[in-house]
Amino acid sequence: MDSSSKEITHDFPPLFKVYKDGTVERYMIADYVPSGHDPTTGVQTKDVVVSAETGVKVRLFIPKLDGPSKKLPVLVHFHGGGFSIGSPFDTPSNNFLKCLVSQVEIIAISIDYRLAPENLLPIAYDDSWAGLQWVATHSLGLGPEPWLNEFADLGRVFLAGESAGANIAHQMAIRAGTTGLVGSKVIGALIVHPFFVVGKEVDEMYKYICPTSSGCDDDPKLNPEVYPNLKSMGCDKVLVFVAEKDRLRNIGVGYYESLGKSGWAGKVELYETLGEGHCFHLFNPNSEKGMALMKKMVDFITED
């Protein structure tokens, strides 16, 4: 083998590196948590293929229900990981969503969008929208997934994501507001430690995985302030989470401020966790501050 084929041409720690022969190597490989019944929380999970053509799947989380079946609000989740790592099937996503679902009695649906760099953006956005549209097909109780037909109240949908997933959740709220989501009503969005950029410094990783992007703040996907339809957010309220020690902290605050002055008619709120870093809650969901963050989510979902 030509030794030059193993020359690294692009390196974006802690996400991935690319070799001259096109091989992609990730710094972190997501583990896999099987679906099924979780005895600790009582939450049941199931994996469903949304598109046979693309292979996109979702993991469904449904809480333990006592008494007769009832309609539950729906949380559509987009995992983080720089668009290139992570999964709805890994330990951090599963632990957090099982805990949240058990506390608030909501159905969660986490979308397994295809990862970059093998699948360049906007594929992750398009897969996520396809997943959201698939959820909406159950609005009349006639969709392909029995759990959603029986239990989902698609008049009460929430979008949620952390880091790159928060970027996706924002984009999905914009699409819902500009193109519509037939049969569903998006009530709110939980934007957790969002990934955007500020200033003219190029985000080389994003530019690599999205060749049509400049990688800096003139790209609306990276800077909501320049998005022409920011005031068209397709939900009634947004809760933005930031963490004091997160390098993206000020970006999250800027997103909150941009949304507040955009002319959007909804309500936006900021919640900051002191002394913690980026996405700390996924790795320490049972910590005091992780539980406080989750309680804030629960209150946001259940408030009138």
Side-chain angles (χ1 to χ4, degrees):
M1 178 184 294
D2 182 356
S3 60
S4 67
S5 67
K6 301 313 292 181
E7 174 188 344
I8 297 173
T9 58
H10 298 85
D11 194 4
F12 303 109
L15 300 174
F16 64 88
K17 51 188 171 184
V18 183
Y19 293 92
K20 188 175 181 179
D21 65 359
T23 303
V24 175
E25 182 179 336
R26 287 175 170 80
Y27 284 93
M28 295 181 285
I29 304 298
D31 64 345
Y32 177 79
V33 177
S35 61
H37 177 258
D38 178 51
T40 302
T41 61
V43 172
Q44 188 80 19
T45 57
K46 179 197 293 189
D47 299 336
V48 181
V49 176
V50 169
S51 170
E53 180 181 354
T54 63
V56 172
K57 301 183 292 294
V58 299
R59 174 159 286 189
L60 306 178
F61 298 75
I62 192 167
K64 179 182 179 181
L65 298 174
D66 297 318
S69 63
K70 56 184 177 180
K71 295 291 187 178
L72 303 175
V74 174
L75 179 83
V76 182
H77 172 258
F78 310 94
H79 70 83
F83 306 96
S84 59
I85 62 174
S87 161
F89 317 119
D90 64 19
T91 295
S93 291
N94 275 261
N95 286 349
F96 187 76
L97 287 173
K98 285 174 183 176
C99 190
L100 180 62
V101 163
S102 68
Q103 288 195 31
V104 73
E105 282 203 341
I106 194 169
I107 298 172
I109 305 163
S110 190
I111 297 178
D112 185 35
Y113 55 84
R114 286 172 288 175
L115 298 178
E118 296 90 341
N119 303 282
L120 297 174
L121 295 177
I123 285 177
Y125 297 117
D126 293 342
D127 286 350
S128 297
W129 181 244
L132 190 54
Q133 289 181 305
W134 176 84
V135 172
T137 64
H138 298 81
S139 60
L140 299 178
L142 300 174
E145 172 47 49
W147 280 9
L148 298 185
N149 288 333
E150 183 174 359
F151 298 111
D153 178 358
L154 293 178
R156 293 183 292 162
V157 175
F158 294 83
L159 307 178
E162 62 280 340
S163 195
N167 180 297
I168 294 174
H170 163 76
Q171 299 297 332
M172 297 305 101
I174 291 289
R175 288 200 192 187
T178 54
T179 67
L181 195 62
V182 177
S184 296
K185 167 65 175 175
V186 180
I187 301 296
L190 297 144
I191 305 296
V192 186
H193 307 167
F195 165 76
F196 296 109
V197 302
V198 173
K200 300 304 179 184
E201 184 175 347
V202 175
D203 187 302
E204 295 292 350
M205 187 280 296
Y206 191 90
K207 186 177 180 181
Y208 178 72
I209 65 173
C210 187
T212 59
S213 174
S214 66
C216 57
D217 68 356
D218 61 351
D219 182 346
K221 297 187 296 301
L222 294 177
N223 180 13
E225 189 169 352
V226 302
Y227 200 95
N229 293 316
L230 186 58
K231 64 182 181 181
S232 300
M233 288 279 286
C235 55
D236 298 330
K237 57 183 181 177
V238 173
L239 179 55
V240 182
F241 293 83
V242 297
E244 181 186 24
K245 294 184 177 180
D246 183 4
R247 68 178 182 84
L248 298 178
R249 184 260 178 199
N250 291 343
I251 290 174
V253 173
Y255 172 74
Y256 158 77
E257 293 173 345
S258 295
L259 193 53
K261 64 186 181 184
S262 67
W264 172 60
K267 172 187 173 183
V268 60
E269 181 182 356
L270 182 72
Y271 178 86
E272 180 169 11
T273 302
L274 300 179
E276 295 290 351
H278 191 63
C279 294
F280 74 94
H281 62 292
L282 290 179
F283 306 100
N284 295 291
N286 296 316
S287 67
E288 181 181 351
K289 291 177 181 177
M291 293 301 292
L293 182 150
M294 190 173 300
K295 183 180 185 303
K296 187 67 178 178
M297 288 185 169
V298 171
D299 292 345
F300 179 80
I301 292 168
T302 56
E303 70 184 2
D304 293 332

